[in-house]
Every structure is written in structure tokens, then in C-alpha cells.
Amino acid sequence: MTQQLPQAPSTEPELTGVRNFRDVGGLPTVDGRRVLHGRLFRSGHLAHATESDASFLATLGLHTIFDFRNAADMRLEGPDVELAGVRNVNLPLTDPADGAEFWKMVRDGDLDQLRSILADGKAAGRMSASYRRIIKERTAEHSRVLHALAEDSVPALMHCAAGKDRAGLSIAVSLLAVGVERDAIQADYLKSNDPHRRYLVRRGDNSPAAMSPEVMQLLAPLFDARAEYLNAAFETIQQTWGDTERYLSEGLNVSAETRERLRDRLLDEA
């Protein structure tokens, strides 16, 4: 029997200290069903959530928050605020040392240094490669998320730092598992580009020179949600496992029974 869970409003709240929050409810599946509102949410980190933000989040009836940040992210932003009665599961999808020197350059490098590491498509190429690597190398983490959602972890909120890459991939994998249309997954992913959702770029020096138009243009691919990045993830599934079904069953060890439980928890009635 499908568990009766609280229904969250489908309208988006005005959160002060949490960016890129949304309910993915309403997305269509290939067999004519839709993701229920109030089951699956996504956002940027909760470290700077205000008291009113926390009060709103407390109304969602959350069971689990999946935090995909690594230790370096947490040192930079801080831990999530605590929400009473909500389980917080930290599943880093990138290692703290992964790209540490690169990201230090992003924060502190001068224009010539940024040109050397980001210009001529290098920034976008790095992002696509990161998506491919997470899909291939973080199968255990994504498997754990799907099994948790199928068992008892709904309603759930997934976040990373900006809420677009690691959380975006984890949401995409969850939606693939219940049969959401690829175009709908992409449309939700690209919402992270909305001006009020975007991660606020931080530089060690926030002077006009450090934040010049050319600097911001060089940095843009790192902070954009681009269809080519998500497509790189989908292509990696195809190249590595042949199709989505084998990716879920062999790559993530998700059985047909587990997928059915996922559908029961996340989708409306057939």
C-alpha cells in the first residue's frame, strides 16, 4: 500500500538563504503518469538557511536530506542547518582533493591564469568530463539513494553546493528510474539558470577587476547548467551500459521490484 505523505504546495517559496530550491513534482513519465508534488525536492546547500527558511522547510514533512557536498565544500560554506526530525545523509559525489588547485585558481587567479585554464572551451569540457566521471564512478552512491527512496526516505531533499551539478545528476538518475521523459528531466535541470536560482560566484577579491565582464564570461561555463553537460551523462550511460535499463539493473543494482516501489512512492496513480 502506498504510504500517505504530506502534500507540499507546488508554488515556489521565496527563500532568503537557500538558492535553487524547487519541487520536481508534475514532471511527466513516458507512460502517462506524473511525479507527485511534495515527494522530491532539490536545492543548493542549506548552510545559510535563515530562521524563516528553516520554518518553511519544516513544513515539507521531510524524511531525509541527501547532501552531496564533500568535506572541502563544507569547510567553505559550513554544515546544513539542523531540521528537527529530519535525517541528513552525506554522500560526497566528488573527492575533497578533486580539482582543489583548479578551484583555488577560479577563486583567486588573475585574468591570464583564468584564460589559461578556462578559455577555448576548456571550462565546458571540464564540466562535461565531471558529469561523465560521476555517472561512471559514483554508482554505489546513486544506488544507495534510489534504494533509500524506495524504502523509507520520502519526502526527500537533494542538494549539493549550488544545487545544479551533483544534485542535478542525482535528481536526473532518480527521475530516470521512475520513467520520467528525458526532455522533462532536461527542462527541470535547466531551471538552475534562472537568475534567482543561480549560485552566487565568489572570488577571493571582489574588486571590479576581479569580477570584470571577461572574468565572468570565462567563469560562466562552470556556473551554468548546460544541456551538453547533462547529455554527456546520458551518453555515458549509453556508452557504458548500452541503455538505461541495464544502467539501473547492472550499474546501480536496482531490481524491478525496487523500481516499482520507487514509482509507488514518487508517482501519481497509473
Side-chain angles (χ1 to χ4, degrees):
M1 184 162 115
T2 303
Q3 181 184 6
Q4 294 302 307
L5 297 168
Q7 287 290 316
S10 59
T11 55
E12 292 183 10
E14 290 293 330
L15 297 177
T16 304
V18 179
R19 297 187 73 82
N20 208 5
F21 174 89
R22 58 190 177 275
D23 181 343
V24 301
L27 299 182
T29 65
V30 294
D31 59 355
R33 299 170 72 178
R34 287 189 180 271
V35 178
L36 287 163
H37 288 287
R39 300 309 203 254
L40 196 55
F41 303 91
R42 58 181 294 177
S43 74
H45 69 78
L46 309 183
H48 301 162
T50 65
E51 188 174 335
S52 62
D53 294 341
S55 295
F56 167 77
L57 294 170
T59 70
L60 301 178
L62 294 173
H63 182 287
T64 300
I65 292 170
F66 294 99
D67 181 352
F68 301 116
R69 296 179 298 161
N70 61 39
D73 297 318
M74 292 191 185
R75 282 195 296 272
L76 182 65
E77 302 288 2
D80 284 346
V81 299
E82 291 189 14
L83 299 176
V86 181
R87 181 177 66 163
N88 193 300
V89 177
N90 180 230
L91 289 174
L93 291 183
T94 51
D95 297 322
D98 183 30
E101 188 173 323
F102 171 85
W103 286 105
K104 185 178 187 307
M105 186 77 72
V106 167
R107 289 193 301 273
D108 301 322
D110 61 26
L111 183 56
D112 287 339
Q113 291 170 320
L114 293 179
R115 285 172 177 156
S116 72
I117 65 169
L118 301 176
D120 303 319
K122 289 194 283 288
R126 183 184 183 90
M127 293 301 297
S128 292
S130 173
Y131 278 54
R132 291 181 184 278
R133 188 165 57 251
I134 288 173
I135 287 294
K136 288 185 72 171
E137 297 179 1
R138 299 295 175 166
T139 51
E141 289 85 347
H142 281 146
S143 176
R144 183 175 169 187
V145 168
L146 293 184
H147 282 94
L149 292 177
E151 292 304 323
D152 64 359
S153 297
V154 176
L157 168 66
M158 299 185 189
H159 79 78
C160 49
K164 75 175 183 75
D165 300 316
R166 290 165 289 183
L169 274 178
S170 300
I171 287 286
V173 168
S174 302
L175 296 175
L176 281 176
V178 296
V180 172
E181 295 175 359
R182 289 281 185 95
D183 288 349
I185 294 173
Q186 180 173 286
D188 172 73
Y189 167 79
L190 292 174
K191 285 183 179 181
S192 291
N193 289 324
D194 294 346
H196 69 288
R197 301 184 195 277
R198 290 181 67 94
Y199 186 73
L200 298 176
V201 178
R202 293 183 178 185
R203 303 272 323 225
D205 171 13
N206 286 321
S207 68
M211 303 286 281
S212 70
E214 184 177 355
V215 167
M216 300 310 289
Q217 184 176 12
L218 287 166
L219 293 175
L222 306 177
F223 297 97
D224 289 347
R226 297 188 177 182
E228 67 190 88
Y229 304 160
L230 190 61
N231 287 339
F234 291 153
E235 288 167 5
T236 300
I237 289 173
Q238 188 75 23
Q239 292 164 0
T240 308
W241 289 278
D243 57 36
T244 301
E245 296 301 313
R246 284 188 59 200
Y247 166 63
L248 292 167
S249 63
E250 298 177 18
L252 303 188
N253 294 313
V254 176
S255 67
E257 292 78 13
T258 298
R259 290 183 68 187
E260 191 56 39
R261 287 200 301 275
L262 277 169
R263 285 189 283 266
D264 286 343
R265 288 191 179 278
L266 297 179
L267 303 181
D268 63 9
E269 298 297 328

